[in-house]
Amino acid sequence: MQEKIRALRERTEAEIGKTDTGRALYELKMRFQAELKTVMSGMRELPKEERPAFGKLVNELKESIERQFEERAAVVRKKELEAKYAAERIDVTMPGRKFRPGALHPVTIVRNQLIDIFSGMGFKVYEGPEVETDYYNFTALNTPEDHPARDMQDTFYLAEKLLLRTQTSAGQIRVMEKEKPPIKILSPGRVFRSDDDATHSPMFHQMEGLVVDRGITLCDLQGMLAEFARRMFDSSTKVRLRPSYFPFTEPSVEVDLSCAECGGKGCRLCKGTGWIEVLGAGMVNRRVLENCGIDPDEYTGFAFGMGIERIAMLKYGINNIRALFENDVRFLEQFR
Ligand code: PHE
């Protein structure tokens, strides 16, 4: 019996010394207690007079081993904490991780600038649908079927009378049908045409402006565009109107700005003319007003439409429209 107790003590003491995690120590303790129980159950077989001495031995063993468990547990806990602290250590002097801030796309920048300029003049933003009916995109804009002007824009048809809008002008009709003058809206958005070269993309953005009220004249259009040109480019930018044709405006004009590159002297950008064509505009055709239930004898209006990509290309000196749609980060990063 005494032999058994000594063996248990020696084995347990040796194992305590080798154990170095709290969990292993706990398991060892459970095992020791079970084994001690077995040893104690042998007490019944001892002669009565030997039992007290045996009990004393067992108690001594129990107390001594338990003390050792506690001491070891304190050491192990300390070690484990140190390891945890070492693993979680933060070097506050290390340089921080760099964030790569994003930038707005140049088309978004110009779009926002345009909205800023025109909303300062009292325009409200209206966004129409990209999928339009033939009626809003053409017919109501005085471009009935078989009208030759339909060939000015190569249209993506989705169904016989349904198409991807080719111009934000479709929004003019939607607004005039609902609202009565005075009307002053700005309509930015995506438009689609089957067209693809260095200056044309099958999807691009336009910004439409529409003003309808009593006594609106072409002079109002010119004055407002002059202000737009000065704000968008620089204060010396001049505006020139040239006669043109759009079915939904009469008279119609093509609007040129003096070349920002050469100041109007003539350069490669303006092909020696000193002027750059930037947008189409005109006085809203009487027929269009009538189509929307607005009396053309009481009200007049002007409209203009510009390509946002075109403005961005002029402003930033981009010579291929594709650069705007390839989303090459090296290109886009320059517009911060
Ligand atoms: N919608 C015309 C185009 O896309 C531009 C325009 C708008 C012209 C408004 C006149 C008035 O070419």
Side-chain angles (χ1 to χ4, degrees), residues 126 128-129 132-143 165 167-180 183 185 187 208-212 247-249 284-294 303:
Y126 165 81
E132 262 301 1
T133 61
D134 182 278
Y135 177 77
Y136 284 103
N137 195 81
F138 288 125
T139 310
L141 286 162
N142 196 31
T143 323
R165 67 175 173 197
Q167 50 189 357
T168 42
S169 304
Q172 289 186 27
I173 306 299
R174 290 189 175 272
V175 171
M176 286 193 287
E177 274 181 349
K178 276 202 296 281
E179 284 177 42
K180 295 299 136 209
I183 290 170
I185 55 121
S187 196
E208 187 93 3
L210 172 72
V211 176
V212 183
F248 38 90
T249 46
V284 180
N285 194 306
R286 296 177 59 91
R287 285 239 183 111
V288 175
L289 294 175
E290 273 166 9
N291 287 345
C292 302
I294 293 175

Side-chain angles (χ1 to χ4, degrees), residues 141 152-153 166-170 172 191 193 204 206-210 245-249 251-254 279-284 302-307:
L141 286 162
M152 286 165 80
Q153 301 167 358
T166 61
Q167 50 189 357
T168 42
S169 304
Q172 289 186 27
V191 297
R193 292 181 196 178
F204 64 103
Q206 277 191 338
M207 179 80 75
E208 187 93 3
L210 172 72
Y245 173 76
F246 298 102
F248 38 90
T249 46
S252 300
V253 292
E254 210 70 65
L279 60 98
M283 298 306 292
V284 180
F302 67 71
F304 60 89
M306 65 183 91

